[in-house]
């Protein structure tokens, strides 16, 4: 009996390690980085809290499309553009503070809904290839975005504000100061616990998104998401409108990404007009994968754990590179490597796990 218990415990432990291979690997790397960086614990905790504040909303916006079987939504960049349109609008009208922040969110809604709907239609035409399609679609959307704000502003769109328009009167400047809303949400309600500043209002908003995600997945449309994610053909036979369900999932994700980008930029305080949105999808996808998510499974805990681990690595790697190799630039290179490498590693491990599970099922059937 004891031997059976020991074998069962061993199998459970192996299964647990195998299913959490990516988070465990990055926990070890982060631990090594923290030790090598020699940064104070208080500084690291403050930085982690700050990065959770500005990045977690974006990472959480990835969950619903994964549940709906659409994979990791690299088209978050399109939602981020919708959020930036709202920020540009309040800058033109010079409306700041918390009112300006929520007005930017409100303005972004119609753009995000239209962009999400259009994205969903295209992804429905490319079932099974959603991730690569959303990635390329993001690049295409960036071209259109640059066309509008470099050429149409000052010609078709009458914006004359010299603070944000290029000297020639056509096109927006590369950097736009957002000091009028900087920390508008973070400072709305914050507390200091043993030297760690916690932006309570921001985390309340993030908490509401977590509750919304849990709630919607328990509703009829949430059950439809799961059914479509598990098997589109079976879902269709069961009477579920597969295309409509997928369309709703990607539209919600795009809207959440727009709001997430606004939260991100109010913390940064500067809008890099043509580049702030570029890495949004890549970094959010990398973060949730580090947390143990895959192209078919993602949870709130994956998003939180992944954001903590991924950004801890970002915080400590420059100093770790400097202390280990005498060059902080090595740490910067490592950060870029991690962002792309974790996606490849996670997808490879997911494929290995999928094949392993398939072999076990085949052996059991025999």
């Amino acid at each position: 009996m004891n031997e059976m218990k020991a074998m069962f415990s061993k199998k459970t432990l192996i299964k647990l390690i195998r299913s959490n291979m990516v988070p465990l690997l990055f926990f070890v790397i982060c631990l090594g980085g923290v030790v090598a960086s020699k940064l104070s614990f208080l500084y690291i905790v403050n930085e982690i809290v700050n990065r959770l504040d500005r990045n977690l909303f974006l990472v959480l916006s990835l969950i619903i499309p994964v549940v709906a079987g659409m994979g990791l939504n690299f088209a978050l960049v399109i939602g981020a553009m919708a959020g930036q349109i709202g920020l540009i609008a309040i800058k033109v009208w010079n409306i700041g503070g918390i009112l300006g922040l929520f007005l930017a969110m409100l303005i972004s809604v119609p753009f995000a809904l239209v962009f999400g709907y259009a994205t969903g239609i295209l992804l429905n035409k490319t079932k099974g290839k959603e991730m690569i399609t959303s990635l390329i679609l993001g690049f295409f959307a960036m071209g259109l975005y640059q066309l509008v704000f470099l050429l149409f502003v000052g010609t078709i769109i009458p914006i004359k504000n010299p603070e944000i328009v290029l000297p020639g009167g056509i096109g927006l400047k590369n950097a736009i100061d957002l000091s009028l809303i900087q920390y508008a949400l973070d400072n709305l309600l914050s507390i200091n616990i043993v030297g760690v500043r916690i932006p309570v209002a921001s985390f309340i908003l993030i908490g509401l998104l977590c509750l919304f995600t849990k709630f919607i997945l328990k509703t009829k449309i949430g059950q439809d998401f799961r059914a479509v994610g598990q098997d589109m053909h079976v879902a269709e036979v069961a009477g579920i409108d597969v295309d409509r369900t997928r369309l709703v999932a990607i539209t919600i994700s795009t809207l959440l990404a727009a709001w997430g980008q606004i939260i991100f930029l109010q913390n940064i305080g500067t809008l890099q007009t043509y580049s702030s949105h570029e890495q949004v999808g890549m970094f959010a996808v990398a973060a949730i994968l580090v947390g143990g998510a895959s192209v078919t499974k993602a949870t709130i805990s994956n998003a939180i754990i992944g954001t903590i681990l991924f950004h801890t690595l970002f915080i400590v790697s420059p100093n770790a590179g400097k202390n280990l190799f005498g060059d902080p630039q090595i740490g910067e290179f490592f950060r870029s490597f991690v962002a792309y490498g974790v996606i490849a590693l996670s997808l490879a491990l997911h494929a290995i796990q999928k094949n392993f599970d398939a072999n076990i099922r085949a052996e059991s059937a025999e």
Side-chain angles (χ1 to χ4, degrees):
M1 182 65 72
N2 290 335
E3 288 180 5
M4 286 180 66
K5 283 184 179 179
M7 285 179 64
F8 180 76
S9 299
K10 188 177 179 181
K11 284 182 179 179
T12 305
L13 182 62
I14 291 170
K15 186 178 179 181
L16 187 67
I17 291 172
R18 194 174 65 241
S19 59
N20 293 282
M21 202 177 299
V22 176
L24 289 171
L25 172 62
F26 277 89
F27 176 76
V28 172
I29 294 173
C30 286
L31 203 60
V34 168
V35 173
S37 69
K38 298 180 182 176
L39 293 170
S40 73
F41 179 73
L42 190 62
Y43 172 81
I44 292 172
V45 172
N46 264 305
E47 282 296 304
I48 290 172
V49 169
N50 190 40
R51 285 170 179 265
L52 276 172
D53 163 30
R54 69 184 184 217
N55 290 285
L56 188 52
F57 202 99
L58 279 164
V59 180
L60 287 165
S61 68
L62 288 166
I63 294 173
I64 289 176
V66 173
V67 174
M70 303 181 76
L72 298 159
N73 180 22
F74 286 95
L76 280 189
V77 62
I78 299 174
M81 291 177 197
Q84 289 173 193
I85 291 171
L87 291 172
I88 290 166
I90 64 163
K91 182 65 179 179
V92 170
W93 297 329
N94 198 32
I95 302 172
I98 196 66
L99 175 63
L101 182 77
F102 285 115
L103 181 60
M105 288 183 167
L106 187 63
I107 292 167
S108 72
V109 170
F111 292 100
L113 293 178
V114 171
F115 295 168
Y117 185 80
T119 302
I121 290 174
L122 182 60
L123 295 183
N124 278 338
K125 303 286 187 186
T126 56
K127 290 185 178 78
K129 302 178 181 66
E130 290 92 350
M131 286 199 295
I132 187 63
T133 303
S134 63
L135 182 62
I136 299 303
L137 185 60
F139 291 129
F140 173 72
M142 282 194 276
L144 291 180
Y145 176 90
Q146 290 173 5
L147 175 68
V148 170
F149 289 108
L150 270 175
L151 184 61
F152 291 174
V153 166
T155 53
I156 298 173
I157 304 171
I159 297 178
K160 305 296 181 184
N161 188 339
E163 193 179 343
I164 64 172
V165 177
L166 291 167
I170 298 174
L172 293 182
K173 290 180 178 176
N174 186 54
I176 296 175
D177 179 24
L178 294 178
S179 57
L180 77 171
I181 61 156
Q182 187 172 21
Y183 304 130
L185 182 63
D186 295 346
N187 290 340
L188 183 63
L189 178 62
S190 65
I191 57 174
N192 193 298
I193 300 177
V194 293
V196 178
R197 182 181 173 277
I198 301 174
V200 177
S202 301
F203 283 116
I204 288 173
L205 206 57
I206 290 167
L208 289 174
L209 176 55
C210 293
L211 291 175
F212 168 77
T213 303
K214 289 179 74 70
F215 168 76
I216 199 170
L217 292 178
K218 290 179 180 178
T219 62
K220 171 65 169 64
I221 188 66
Q223 296 305 314
D224 289 351
F225 289 155
R226 292 186 190 280
V228 171
Q230 287 168 6
D231 194 310
M232 281 188 284
H233 178 68
V234 172
E236 195 167 11
V237 170
I240 297 171
D241 188 336
V242 171
D243 284 358
R244 178 184 171 276
T245 302
R246 287 161 55 92
L247 201 60
V248 171
I250 207 70
T251 303
I252 291 173
S253 180
T254 305
L255 176 59
L256 294 176
W259 290 348
Q261 183 72 347
I262 291 170
I263 293 169
F264 177 86
L265 290 172
Q266 67 84 36
N267 181 271
I268 297 293
T270 304
L271 168 60
Q272 299 296 329
T273 311
Y274 307 107
S275 61
S276 283
H277 52 274
E278 282 185 348
Q279 299 296 327
V280 164
M282 195 69 68
F283 285 173
V285 166
I288 201 167
L289 287 173
V290 166
S294 70
V295 294
T296 57
K297 179 189 75 70
T299 63
I300 292 168
S301 59
N302 291 148
I304 296 170
I305 293 168
T307 306
I308 291 171
L309 291 176
F310 185 69
H311 287 282
T312 298
L313 207 54
F314 264 47
I315 293 161
V316 302
S317 56
N319 274 67
K322 181 181 178 181
N323 292 336
L324 290 173
F325 306 105
D327 185 0
Q329 193 64 38
I330 290 176
E332 295 292 339
F333 292 146
F334 184 66
R335 294 205 297 192
S336 299
F337 163 76
V338 165
Y340 295 97
V342 69
I343 296 174
L345 176 63
S346 299
L347 294 178
L349 288 173
H350 171 68
I352 293 167
Q353 177 68 32
K354 192 174 180 180
N355 290 335
F356 184 81
D357 292 341
N359 291 335
I360 288 178
R361 284 195 296 270
E363 288 173 4
S364 300
E366 290 174 1

